[in-house]
Amino acid sequence: MKTQTELRTLLRSIDHKSYPAYKSLAGAWKFDRYTLVIDHVQGDPFAAPSSLHVEIPHTLAKFPPAYYQRDCSRIALQDYLTRQVAKQFEQYNFRAKGSGKSGLLSISRCGQAVLERSACSITGNGLIVRFHVGFPAFGRTINAGELDKILFEFLPRCVENSLFYARLDSRKVEAAVHLAEDQNEVRRILKEEKLVAFVANGSVLPRKSGVSDLPMADSIPFTSPASMERTFQLPHRGEISGMAVPEGITLIVGGGYHGKSTLLEAIQMGVYDHIAGDGREFVITDDTALKLRAEDGRSIRNVDISLFINDLPNKKDTTKFSTEDASGSTSQAAGVVEGMEAGARLFLIDEDTSATNFMVRDEFMQQVIVRDKEPITPFLERAGELYGKAGISTILVAGSSGAFFYIADHILMMDCYRPVDITEKVKALCSGHAAPRTQAPGFAVPEFTRVLPAFRKTRKGHDRGWDGREQEARSIGYGGGRGKENAGQDERGRGDARGGQREAGRYEHMKTKAYGLESFSLDKEEVNVRYLEQLLDSEQVNALAHLLRYGLEQVLDGKKSVRQTVQAIWSAWEKEEWKPFCSSFVPCGLAKPRIQELYACLNRFRG
C-alpha cells in the first residue's frame, strides 16, 4: 500500500494540470492511524463530488466490543459516529477555495431517526466511514495546494476528533448505545406480550412544523389512560410506563385539532428508533406496521383484490387485477393485499387520507344501492376477519362514522391532546343501537403466487425488456454504476461478476436517480413513492433505487414470485450489505429501508 508521503508527492506533481489528472490519486493510501481510500474522482469541479472513505482498525479506534456486537447497538454507534463526523466537517466545509464544489466536505445528514447508513459501517475488522470531497480547482485546472490542506490538515483533524473512542465523550457514546438497547427491549416485549405499539408517558408527539421533524416546544406531554398503562423494566433506564396498544382493532376518535392524526403519525414512525431529545424515543411500534392510504392513479399488476372488490360491471377478473390508473378505493384495496404479502402485522389508517367508499357504507346507502349493484366490500366488513383469520391488527383514526365503534376492541378519544379510554362507554351506547348491516362474502387469505416476468440486458446499445421488445439502452451516469473505463468488468478485468453480458460490448447497469422523498427513476421509468409515508429520508429512496435495480437485473428470471424476488434481494443485503447493489465501490448516501417499502416499490414499478 502506498504511503501518505507518496500521495503528497503525487499531488504536487499534478498541480496546475488539467482537472482529469486528479484521477491518478484513486486508490488506497496509508496514513499514520487510518487508511484513506479515494474511490471515485469527479470529472470536473462542477460535477458530483469525489467519493472517499477511511478505514480504522478496532485496535486503534478502541470502541468497547460490547457496543457493536448486537445489531441494535452497532447501528446506534454507527449513527452516533456519522453525526460526529458531520459536526467536524461543518467546521472545515468550503474552507479550501476554488470553483464549483471545490472544498466541499460532506457526509450523510442524519435526522431524528436512527437508520443504518452506508456512511458508516462497523465490521469485524474495524470502522469504515464514507464521505464526499470536492477536489479544488481554478476553473478546470488542479489546485493541489488546497487539496493538500483538505487531505493532510482538515481531514486528519476530523478523523481524530470523531472516530477514536479516546477523543469522544464516553458518557455520550454509552448513552446512545444504551438507549438503542432499551428501545430494542421494548420491541422484544411488544412481541412477547402481543402488543402492537407503546407510547411512553412524557413523550412529545407534535413536530415543530410541517417541514421540521424536531419536537414542538411547549407541547403537551403524552399521558396514558390508566386502563391501558403498562410498566416495563428496561436494562439501562429501569422502569418505564406508558400506553400499550394490544393486538386487535383500536379506534382513535375525537374532535378536529385534538391530536388524533398526531398520535397516529407518531405511532407510524415508531417503526424506527429515535435519538435522545426527539420526544419519541419510546414511541415504539411493531416494525412491520404499514400506513395505508388511497393513491389515485397508481399502477396495479395482477393483484388479488377480490377480498374487497368483486363483480365488476365489465366482468374483469379481480383475482388478477391490473390497471395503470387505479381509483382511490381500488388502490387502497390493493395496498391492503400487498401489505399482507409484505408480512405486515399492523395496518395504520387515517380516515382523512382514505377513500370513503372503501372504508364504510352507511345504512341508507346500502338501502339505495343494493349489494349486488356495489362491487366494493368496505374495510369495515373485513377488519375483524383481517385480525381473526390473518392475524393483522388495525389502528384507525375516524371522525365521521360511528360504524367502526361496533368492530373496535379498544376506543381512544383524544381530548385536548390527551387520550381517554372510552371503550366501555361506547360499547354501552352501541348496545342501544342496531349494528351496521354486514354481508361480506367469505374471507380467504390470497395465495401470493404472482410470478414476475424476466428482465435481461443483452449487449451495449440494446436491452430486452419485460415485453421482449428491443429498446434503446441508456448509458450509466454518476452514482449508478461503473465508470466508463471499467464498465462491465470486475476488479480482475473479467466480465461483470453479477451476470452482466459482454456480448459485442460492455454490460451497463440501469441508471438510477432519486428525487427526494417524491420518486426515483430507473433509466426512464419513474417510481412514485410520495405516498409511502413511512419513508423519512431521501437516502432510503436512493437505496430503494439500488435495491430494485439489483432485483430487476440479477434476480428476475421469469420464475420467481414477488415474495421470492424480494427475499432474494433482502438476503443479498443481509449477506453482504451494500456491496451487491453498488458497482466498483460503495458510496456515501444510502440508508437501509424496510422490507415493506421494498415490496411497495416493486409493486409500483410500471415496467
Side-chain angles (χ1 to χ4, degrees):
M1 187 182 297
K2 297 179 182 179
T3 66
Q4 62 184 41
T5 302
E6 292 174 288
L7 173 60
R8 197 165 219 165
T9 300
L10 177 58
L11 181 58
R12 289 171 176 170
S13 72
I14 61 174
D15 193 20
H16 291 87
K17 290 187 177 181
S18 178
Y19 200 88
Y22 264 142
K23 292 186 179 293
S24 63
L25 304 181
W29 306 91
K30 181 65 178 175
F31 280 62
D32 292 337
R33 301 242 288 165
Y34 60 87
T35 298
L36 173 67
V37 182
I38 301 175
D39 293 304
H40 168 85
V41 178
Q42 62 202 94
D44 66 68
F46 301 92
S50 302
S51 294
L52 291 75
H53 75 264
V54 295
E55 300 175 0
I56 306 173
H58 287 307
T59 53
L60 294 178
K62 294 187 177 179
F63 287 91
Y67 287 3
Y68 51 83
Q69 287 178 345
R70 300 174 64 190
D71 282 346
C72 63
S73 51
R74 173 182 58 80
I75 294 169
L77 179 57
Q78 291 171 176
D79 176 85
Y80 182 83
L81 295 179
T82 301
R83 295 172 192 271
Q84 298 310 304
V85 174
K87 289 179 182 178
Q88 291 294 318
F89 279 0
E90 287 177 4
Q91 302 176 42
Y92 298 99
N93 195 25
F94 289 115
R95 280 180 56 179
K97 305 302 180 182
S99 52
K101 294 182 173 65
S102 296
L104 172 72
L105 277 170
S106 70
I107 195 169
S108 296
R109 284 188 173 186
C110 300
Q112 297 298 102
V114 177
L115 301 176
E116 186 158 11
R117 301 176 186 269
S118 62
C120 182
S121 299
I122 299 177
T123 69
N125 297 321
L127 278 61
I128 300 175
V129 178
R130 303 177 179 94
F131 51 93
H132 294 127
V133 174
F135 282 14
F138 294 123
R140 286 181 169 82
T141 301
I142 287 175
N143 185 348
E146 294 298 287
L147 184 56
D148 186 281
K149 287 183 184 177
I150 294 174
L151 299 183
F152 295 95
E153 183 179 341
F154 301 163
L155 187 58
R157 291 178 190 169
C158 293
V159 171
E160 285 289 336
N161 292 334
S162 59
L163 297 176
F164 291 90
Y165 185 61
R167 300 295 293 271
L168 297 172
D169 186 330
S170 61
R171 292 172 298 177
K172 291 182 178 180
V173 178
E174 181 183 68
V177 171
H178 285 180
L179 175 59
E181 292 176 347
D182 282 345
Q183 291 165 335
N184 187 68
E185 176 63 11
V186 175
R187 295 189 186 281
R188 186 195 66 78
I189 294 172
L190 291 184
K191 293 179 181 178
E192 186 178 272
E193 301 288 333
K194 294 187 177 181
L195 305 170
V196 294
F198 177 78
V199 185
N201 292 337
S203 296
V204 177
L205 306 187
R207 298 295 93 188
K208 185 176 181 180
S209 70
V211 295
S212 174
D213 204 33
L214 296 172
M216 179 184 290
D218 302 321
S219 59
I220 297 174
F222 182 87
T223 305
S224 172
S227 60
M228 299 181 71
E229 185 169 288
R230 294 283 301 275
T231 299
F232 303 142
Q233 186 70 31
L234 304 184
H236 304 293
R237 181 189 174 103
E239 285 191 351
I240 186 170
S241 299
M243 182 179 76
V245 181
E247 293 179 351
I249 301 172
T250 299
L251 196 61
I252 302 174
V253 298
Y257 304 99
H258 278 255
K260 302 187 302 296
S261 295
T262 298
L263 175 58
L264 187 72
E265 288 168 6
I267 290 173
Q268 79 185 40
M269 288 309 176
V271 297
Y272 303 107
D273 291 343
H274 291 83
I275 60 172
D278 173 75
R280 301 168 296 179
E281 297 95 316
F282 289 99
V283 179
I284 308 293
T285 308
D286 184 304
D287 55 16
T288 68
L290 189 63
K291 176 70 182 297
L292 298 174
R293 59 167 297 156
E295 297 180 56
D296 288 349
R298 65 155 286 195
S299 73
I300 297 171
R301 295 286 182 181
N302 298 325
V303 179
D304 183 356
I305 59 173
S306 59
L307 275 176
F308 298 98
I309 299 178
N310 260 312
D311 301 322
L312 294 175
N314 59 9
K315 306 301 181 184
K316 194 169 184 178
D317 183 10
T318 59
T319 62
K320 294 182 179 179
F321 186 83
S322 297
T323 180
E324 291 293 332
D325 187 18
S327 66
S329 57
T330 305
S331 65
Q332 200 160 356
V336 172
V337 177
E338 291 165 352
M340 296 169 70
E341 186 176 33
R345 297 187 293 268
L346 172 64
F347 287 147
L348 306 170
I349 303 175
D350 192 331
E351 190 181 61
D352 286 349
T353 56
S354 297
T356 302
N357 60 337
F358 172 76
M359 295 301 297
V360 64
R361 293 177 70 232
D362 65 26
E363 181 81 16
F364 192 20
M365 184 62 72
Q366 291 186 52
Q367 292 179 18
V368 175
I369 308 297
V370 296
R371 170 67 64 176
D372 60 3
K373 297 296 183 181
E374 174 53 73
I376 301 174
T377 300
F379 185 82
L380 170 70
E381 300 181 21
R382 291 297 193 196
E385 293 175 310
L386 279 172
Y387 175 60
K389 297 182 179 179
I392 301 174
S393 301
T394 299
I395 297 178
L396 169 66
V397 168
S400 64
S401 175
F404 291 103
F405 289 138
Y406 293 88
I407 66 168
D409 299 306
H410 303 277
I411 304 169
L412 291 172
M413 181 181 72
M414 296 302 294
D415 183 8
C416 295
Y417 312 106
R418 290 186 171 90
V420 180
D421 185 355
I422 60 171
T423 307
E424 292 186 6
K425 177 182 177 181
V426 172
K427 291 299 184 182
L429 291 173
C430 286
S431 64
H433 295 78
R437 289 190 300 169
T438 56
Q439 301 172 336
F443 181 94
V445 177
E447 294 186 356
F448 307 124
T449 56
R450 289 184 293 161
V451 175
L452 294 169
F455 173 75
R456 299 190 308 276
K457 287 264 185 177
T458 55
R459 62 188 184 276
K460 180 186 175 184
H462 298 82
D463 66 52
R464 186 170 296 277
W466 296 265
D467 57 4
R469 293 175 301 187
E470 298 279 7
Q471 303 173 24
E472 180 182 356
R474 294 87 173 178
S475 62
I476 186 168
Y478 170 77
R482 301 183 189 279
K484 292 182 179 179
E485 62 273 15
N486 65 345
Q489 297 185 6
D490 62 12
E491 289 76 3
R492 295 169 295 281
R494 299 197 294 267
D496 190 290
R498 291 183 289 277
Q501 302 298 315
R502 293 195 44 118
E503 171 190 37
R506 67 177 182 269
Y507 179 88
E508 292 182 345
H509 282 301
M510 302 171 76
K511 182 178 179 180
T512 68
K513 188 172 183 180
Y515 303 93
L517 290 172
E518 291 291 309
S519 63
F520 64 85
S521 61
L522 296 175
D523 282 347
K524 294 183 179 180
E525 191 70 61
E526 188 167 321
V527 181
N528 189 330
V529 298
R530 68 168 59 93
Y531 294 129
L532 303 183
E533 297 182 17
Q534 288 165 292
L535 285 174
L536 52 76
D537 195 296
S538 59
E539 290 192 357
Q540 290 178 298
V541 179
N542 194 18
L544 282 167
H546 283 70
L547 267 63
L548 186 55
R549 179 183 66 184
Y550 173 87
L552 298 176
E553 294 181 345
Q554 308 299 336
V555 178
L556 290 187
D557 57 5
K559 300 177 182 179
K560 292 184 177 66
S561 67
V562 172
R563 271 185 170 172
Q564 290 170 330
T565 300
V566 172
Q567 288 300 331
I569 298 170
W570 209 249
S571 295
W573 197 95
E574 290 178 337
K575 184 178 180 181
E576 299 184 75
E577 295 190 352
W578 302 108
K579 290 181 181 178
F581 310 103
C582 307
S583 295
S584 53
F585 67 96
V586 176
C588 175
L590 303 174
K592 186 182 179 183
R594 299 187 307 148
I595 195 171
Q596 281 72 29
E597 277 70 50
L598 179 55
Y599 270 100
C601 288
L602 187 58
N603 284 318
R604 285 160 179 75
F605 182 67
R606 292 178 182 269

